[in-house]
Amino acid sequence: MQSGSGMQFGIFSVGDVTPDPTTGRTPSEHERIKAMVAIALKAEEVGLDVFATGEHHNPPFVPSSPTTMLGYIAARTERLILSTSTTLITTNDPVKIAEDFAMLQHLAGGRVDLMMGRGNTGPVYPWFGKDIREGINLAVENYALLHRLWREDVVTWEGKFRTPLQSFTSTPRPLDGVAPFVWHGSIRSPEIAEQAAYYGDGFFHNNIFWPQEHTKKMVDLYRRRFAHYGHGTPEQAIVGLGGQVFMRKNSQDAVKEFRPYFDNAPVYGHGPSLEEFTSQTPLTVGSPQQVIDRTLSFRDSVGDYQRQLFLMDHAGLPLKTVLEQLDILGEEVVPVLREEFAKNRPANVPDAPTHTARVTATRSGIESEVTA
């Protein structure tokens, strides 16, 4: 991680294949996959800390196999933390998640974490033989098993949703004996905030479509419950936020260029106007300074936090435009955010989690137990 405020900055992608409304051209799946890789490499080049990909199993999305993509990116980067913006804890087998991400951890030298989520595509459940009505129960049971598989060398387990395990060892074991850090991503389910708090894991709110008061409520709940379960004070809970930006030197140019993408985007097109959406949600379309001011305001509602990811490559924006956006983000926005977020950051607020720091903490914990 880069030095600075103890915060990580990066980007998250949903990997949508969307026609460019200004040209009518739709990229091929191959072009979109290659574009996501180019965007990840650019993120490292401009000094960002994290690249996170979604997981989807239906058109118009391409990232059905996050660890394959992240493994390829790992080989072509040196510092970037590779993550997911959703790993479907509901429909993936926890044994396979344990194996895939431990393997990725070894290949990437520990530059790996992941975000558990339930996804937003109902039909994915029957495609993988699951029942959507059990969504929350699947998330809770599957994660309980995954958590053990990474921490216990031999696991005997029985549950409701998969066949029992007898003296099972997931291989490879996590790198340096430390499991990848897990974020639990949720937009509106208090059960998931509760789950993150119970395990002392991170909580990530995508912070895109909802007013800031809603995000504040979810993060406050997680912080309170984190303390309730004895992991530290509410301020020591590990929080990540998403966000969504489009920038040009002059804000009028940004609005003019982004409007057709906004108006036609599958996720929010044909609904509220761009002006309504930017006033009611964290979407910021304008100058770099407006993005800085808006992002710094997040701290007012959620407190000091550890990770800020931006959605940059969606709605049919061409690769060239996204790479320009990343230049602006890396050169003009993130350096200021690092500096400003570091100011007045209380000493008891933990830095963003990294593999190296967690290995050190684990080893010093073991040593202190031995000497106690």
Side-chain angles (χ1 to χ4, degrees), residues 72-137:
Y72 181 78
I73 294 168
R76 303 186 59 188
T77 52
E78 290 173 15
R79 300 181 318 278
L80 201 60
I81 293 171
L82 307 162
S83 189
T84 54
S85 43
T86 311
T87 291
L88 296 173
I89 188 62
T90 40
T91 49
N92 283 310
D93 180 3
V95 171
K96 193 70 179 113
I97 297 178
E99 295 170 340
D100 283 352
F101 281 89
M103 177 65 82
L104 180 60
Q105 228 196 352
H106 283 273
L107 293 172
R111 295 184 287 129
V112 173
D113 57 34
L114 67 163
M115 194 192 307
M116 297 299 166
R118 287 177 300 138
N120 54 7
T121 310
V124 74
Y125 286 83
W127 295 336
F128 290 92
K130 309 294 184 207
D131 182 343
I132 192 168
R133 291 167 298 190
E134 297 284 10
I136 293 279
N137 295 333

